[in-house]
């Protein structure tokens, strides 16, 4: 076990006694599955575009085919990806604690693929599509084979199919936000993993947890604005740190 990535004894004790754990994940959680964060995603054909110029309603209105193709490439990348040891460690953690809320900003569905239950998706899911006007879901069958541009919406003539993800400048799904806020207020132990902690409301969740007296642990190779407030920060990757923490927790629970 890498000592460097061990929870301190008092924090391990708090995790062992926690009635409710909240885990917030960002794009860094999926990095070891080969899905680049936005910052790393500017390669090849797309190097000349910033994600902020592609993942917006304005970009889609201006050039729907370009945005659709960019998402098509990302969809293919996600379809090839597999959960890593960190995703699997969170599945084990969910079985070891009385209650765990997993809140993700990722749109790739890797937590669900690993076996995590009741995942709350704040930014939607790249595998789904919806009507650009009515926002009603559009089935995969309707999309059939449309790699070059979005097909028309089945609902309104001037609508197009678009990814069911939250773009920059858009409002998050209210139900997911409510679920996440409630989890943040209720948890007694919070993990913030692979997120820059800059984009609200997701970035507010660990702060709400702290206000309600929760412990806070951050896992991120880089420092973030949250680091100073965390009880313990791990400067390692999601998989290397989570596997150690979950094995510490399992040992604690089996020795009780
Ligand atoms: P972000 O703001 O969440 O930043 C990524 C963070 O992950 C950085 O702080 C980085 O230091 C950290 N990180 C990198 N590798 C890591 C590792 N192996 N383990 C732990 N942490 C690691 O992400 P972003 O790229 O700016 O994306 C913004 C939003 O775009 C996301 O919140 C998400 O909604 C969407 N997005 C989703 C995916 C996905 O679903 N996989 C990928 C890219 C972007």
């Amino acid at each position: 076990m890498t000592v460097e990535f061990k929870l301190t004894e008092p924090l391990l004790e708090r995790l062992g006694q926690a009635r409710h754990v909240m885990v917030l994940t960002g794009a860094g959680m999926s990095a070891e599955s080969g899905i680049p964060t936005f910052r790393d995603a500017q390669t090849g054909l797309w190097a000349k575009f910033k994600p902020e110029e592609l993942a917006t309603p304005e970009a889609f209105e201006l050039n729907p085919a370009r945005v659709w193709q960019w998402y098509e490439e990302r969809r293919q990348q996600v379809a090839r990806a597999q959960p890593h040891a960190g995703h699997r460690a969170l599945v084990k953690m969910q079985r070891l604690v009385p209650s765990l809320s997993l809140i993700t900003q990722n749109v790739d569905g890797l937590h669900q693929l690993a076996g995590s239950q009741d995942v709350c998706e704040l930014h939607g899911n790249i595998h789904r599509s919806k009507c650009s006007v009515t926002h009603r879901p559009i089935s995969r069958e309707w999309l059939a084979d449309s790699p070059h541009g979005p097909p028309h919406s089945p609902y309104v003539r001037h609508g197009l199919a678009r990814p069911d993800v939250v773009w920059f400048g858009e409002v998050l799904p209210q139900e997911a936000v409510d679920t996440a806020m409630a989890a943040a207020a209720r948890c007694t132990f919070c993990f913030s993993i692979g997120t820059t902690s800059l984009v609200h409301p997701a970035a507010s969740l660990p702060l709400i947890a702290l206000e309600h007296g929760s412990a806070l642990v951050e896992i991120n190779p880089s420092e973030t604005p949250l680091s100073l407030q965390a009880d313990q920060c791990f400067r390692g990757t999601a998989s290397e740190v989570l596997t150690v923490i979950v094995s510490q927790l399992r040992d604690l629970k089996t020795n009780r």
Side-chain angles (χ1 to χ4, degrees):
M1 210 182 272
T2 320
V3 178
E4 187 191 352
F5 296 141
K6 275 179 138 184
L7 275 179
T8 61
E9 281 304 319
L11 274 178
L12 178 61
E13 198 55 39
R14 278 183 81 173
L15 180 59
Q17 285 174 4
R19 304 296 314 154
H20 187 79
V21 176
M22 180 177 82
V23 179
L24 172 68
T25 63
M29 181 75 211
S30 299
E32 290 163 279
S33 290
I35 302 176
T37 62
F38 272 177
R39 261 182 289 173
D40 300 332
Q42 290 164 265
T43 54
L45 260 184
W46 304 107
K48 56 180 183 287
F49 299 107
K50 289 197 181 107
E52 299 89 305
E53 290 164 6
L54 290 162
T56 67
E58 293 78 18
F60 188 69
E61 206 165 304
L62 195 69
N63 194 337
R66 185 167 70 196
V67 173
W68 185 261
Q69 282 164 24
W70 185 59
Y71 272 95
E72 185 59 26
E73 200 172 300
R74 296 189 63 217
R75 267 192 288 267
Q76 286 175 14
Q77 197 167 44
V78 165
R80 287 191 299 269
Q82 287 300 315
H84 58 69
H87 291 104
R88 293 192 292 277
L90 287 177
V91 177
K92 289 185 195 143
M93 191 190 288
Q94 196 161 36
R95 296 191 189 123
L96 287 168
V97 299
S99 158
L100 183 143
S101 294
L102 180 46
I103 320 286
T104 189
Q105 297 165 83
N106 296 342
V107 297
D108 52 39
L110 285 180
H111 285 302
Q112 293 91 324
L113 194 58
S116 284
Q117 305 292 313
D118 301 323
V119 179
C120 173
E121 292 178 319
L122 287 176
H123 293 171
N125 190 302
I126 200 168
H127 299 295
R128 295 191 304 257
S129 296
K130 63 179 184 178
C131 168
S132 61
V133 177
T134 65
H135 294 269
R136 285 168 66 188
I138 296 181
S139 71
R140 270 173 214 222
E141 292 71 40
W142 181 267
L143 303 177
D145 193 18
S146 36
H148 304 302
H152 283 279
S153 161
Y155 307 116
V156 281
R157 272 195 353 171
H158 55 294
L160 292 172
R162 58 158 278 186
D164 189 0
V165 299
V166 178
W167 282 333
F168 292 102
E170 290 189 316
V171 176
L172 276 63
Q174 194 56 47
E175 200 183 322
V177 172
D178 291 346
T179 304
M181 293 287 181
R186 188 158 75 97
C187 73
T188 48
F189 205 103
C190 171
F191 287 95
S192 174
I193 307 170
T195 174
T196 44
S197 298
L198 287 171
V199 184
H200 292 268
S204 318
L205 296 169
L207 302 175
I208 295 171
L210 278 176
E211 274 167 25
H212 287 78
S214 170
L216 174 64
V217 165
E218 180 181 65
I219 303 173
N220 194 320
S222 309
E223 200 175 326
T224 78
L226 194 65
S227 305
L228 277 176
Q229 308 204 49
D231 295 286
Q232 195 171 359
C233 288
F234 292 98
R235 297 280 165 250
T237 70
S239 75
E240 56 193 8
V241 180
L242 280 169
T243 45
V244 174
I245 291 179
V246 171
S247 106
Q248 276 186 286
L249 180 62
R250 195 195 47 219
D251 292 349
L252 180 83
K253 296 268 177 176
T254 42
N255 293 333
R256 282 220 161 122

